[in-house]
Amino acid sequence: MHSLGAMQSFCSLKLNPAHFHHASESVSPSLLETKPVESCCRANFARAPTCHVGRAFPSEYAPRGALQVTEAVPGFHMNRLSASQDTATKGRIRPEDVVVRSAQSDEELEAAAWLRAKAFYAYPEERKFAGQLHQSMKAREEFDLLKIWSLEKRLERLRDPRECVVAVVPLSLVSATTEVDRNAIEDFIVVTEESGEESLIIGTLDVVVAKAVDGQVLIGNTYCPAYLANVCVGDVVRRCGVGHLLIDAARRFAKDHDSDGLFVHIMAANEVGRKFYESCGFVVDKIESTNEANIRGHCLDGIPGGGKTMLLRDDQN
């Protein structure tokens, strides 16, 4: 899937077809309908009516499809790339209330998969039924990939170090500070292994240490680069600093694995995602040319090459 939209759902490009993301805004009124936080996600999925930012999955495990944008609804994906007009939720959830760590169970991986599916494949209300079917399919695909990663990690067979990072908060705290429809967040509720209490997965991202990412032509020029993908945060914690907490966790993972550069792919048209990453200390490293994007078939709004990719580098690393 692709990476949170503006800090709601930071969308980073899905590095492989069908999974990582660009920052975008969800159009659903649901409280926890996620919005991609720019480059907090990227991957490759089959064609979908939204903008995607990539993900870093090895080609043998990546879902079929390639980073593409299909204009199913006029201006739909551009709407998702615009800043949210919703009331900020600052003060509802404090950064100190949030635990950011590696996913610890299949249940948490599944919740992360659902969060990504709803963040990167949002649909307008008039297409709600089709959207639910599509999101369900993408959530299953994502969950299968995450389980493969988890299994290979336990068997010490991962080709490149990678981690699924989640942001977790006690469900009781969310319920006490926000009017939440449990049905709207059911897919993100988990039972934490340590306490046995119900918690809510409110954010997620993937970080992988690798020379390059499948499906992306822009490569970080460092000896041991790391890449972000599938960055997204739920609406219930918008503007509460969760996106920054996720990025900080990715930085620690990259440093622990001797990475000397942290990067993220986003669509060049994703202004919201770019602003979010810049607020986290990222700077523009490279921009794909329109001609290169056109050759790869990355169009946007019917403009050949309009879906070109931008590579951002963490200037704090």
Side-chain angles (χ1 to χ4, degrees), residues 125-169:
E125 186 63 26
E126 61 269 23
R127 299 189 61 201
K128 182 177 180 180
F129 179 71
Q132 289 174 337
L133 293 177
H134 190 214
Q135 290 169 350
S136 178
M137 177 183 71
K138 291 306 179 183
R140 289 195 300 270
E141 290 179 355
E142 183 74 2
F143 182 37
D144 288 343
L145 282 171
L146 290 174
K147 285 194 296 184
I148 290 174
W149 279 17
S150 178
L151 177 60
E152 292 204 331
K153 179 182 177 180
R154 291 198 296 270
L155 297 177
E156 299 183 349
R157 291 174 52 190
L158 276 178
R159 183 179 64 185
D160 302 309
R162 66 192 65 212
E163 197 68 81
C164 172
V165 178
V166 293
V168 187
V169 67

Side-chain angles (χ1 to χ4, degrees), residues 52-96:
H52 302 286
V53 185
R55 231 190 212 192
F57 285 136
S59 56
E60 60 267 31
Y61 301 137
R64 52 190 188 116
L67 183 60
Q68 300 177 11
V69 176
T70 302
E71 181 67 354
V73 179
F76 177 48
H77 61 271
M78 292 311 296
N79 289 337
R80 295 189 68 219
L81 291 178
S82 61
S84 170
Q85 300 300 317
D86 298 337
T87 303
T89 56
K90 183 175 291 186
R92 292 181 180 177
I93 300 295
R94 300 171 301 173
E96 53 266 35

Side-chain angles (χ1 to χ4, degrees), residues 1-2 13-21 42-46 52-67 121 145 149 159 162 213-216 229-230:
M1 299 189 172
H2 293 294
L13 285 177
K14 295 192 173 188
L15 298 176
N16 261 11
H19 286 160
F20 285 13
H21 355 308
R42 274 186 185 274
N44 284 345
F45 276 149
H52 302 286
V53 185
R55 231 190 212 192
F57 285 136
S59 56
E60 60 267 31
Y61 301 137
R64 52 190 188 116
L67 183 60
Y121 297 95
L145 282 171
W149 279 17
R159 183 179 64 185
R162 66 192 65 212
V213 176
D214 285 348
Q216 296 300 324
N230 300 315

Side-chain angles (χ1 to χ4, degrees), residues 114-267:
W114 271 103
L115 190 64
R116 296 170 183 187
K118 293 192 175 184
F120 303 124
Y121 297 95
Y123 280 74
E125 186 63 26
E126 61 269 23
R127 299 189 61 201
K128 182 177 180 180
F129 179 71
Q132 289 174 337
L133 293 177
H134 190 214
Q135 290 169 350
S136 178
M137 177 183 71
K138 291 306 179 183
R140 289 195 300 270
E141 290 179 355
E142 183 74 2
F143 182 37
D144 288 343
L145 282 171
L146 290 174
K147 285 194 296 184
I148 290 174
W149 279 17
S150 178
L151 177 60
E152 292 204 331
K153 179 182 177 180
R154 291 198 296 270
L155 297 177
E156 299 183 349
R157 291 174 52 190
L158 276 178
R159 183 179 64 185
D160 302 309
R162 66 192 65 212
E163 197 68 81
C164 172
V165 178
V166 293
V168 187
V169 67
L171 181 60
S172 58
L173 180 60
V174 176
S175 301
T177 57
T178 311
E179 291 185 7
V180 180
D181 177 4
R182 188 181 176 97
N183 291 329
I185 62 174
E186 190 69 40
D187 295 322
F188 316 124
I189 297 176
V190 299
V191 176
T192 54
E193 294 183 348
E194 318 88 69
S195 64
E197 298 179 349
E198 287 188 325
S199 297
L200 197 64
I201 300 296
I202 56 175
T204 178
L205 64 72
D206 290 326
V207 55
V208 57
V209 179
K211 288 294 184 181
V213 176
D214 285 348
Q216 296 300 324
V217 297
L218 302 181
I219 300 173
N221 291 331
T222 63
Y223 179 75
C224 185
Y227 298 87
L228 297 175
N230 300 315
V231 182
C232 58
V233 171
D235 281 0
V236 72
V237 290
R238 285 180 51 239
R239 305 180 189 178
C240 295
V242 177
H244 287 78
L245 294 176
L246 288 167
I247 298 299
D248 287 341
R251 286 188 176 116
R252 291 192 294 271
F253 178 86
K255 183 177 180 180
D256 290 345
H257 289 80
D258 301 320
S259 171
D260 56 355
L262 182 61
F263 300 86
V264 63
H265 295 84
I266 65 171
M267 292 184 72

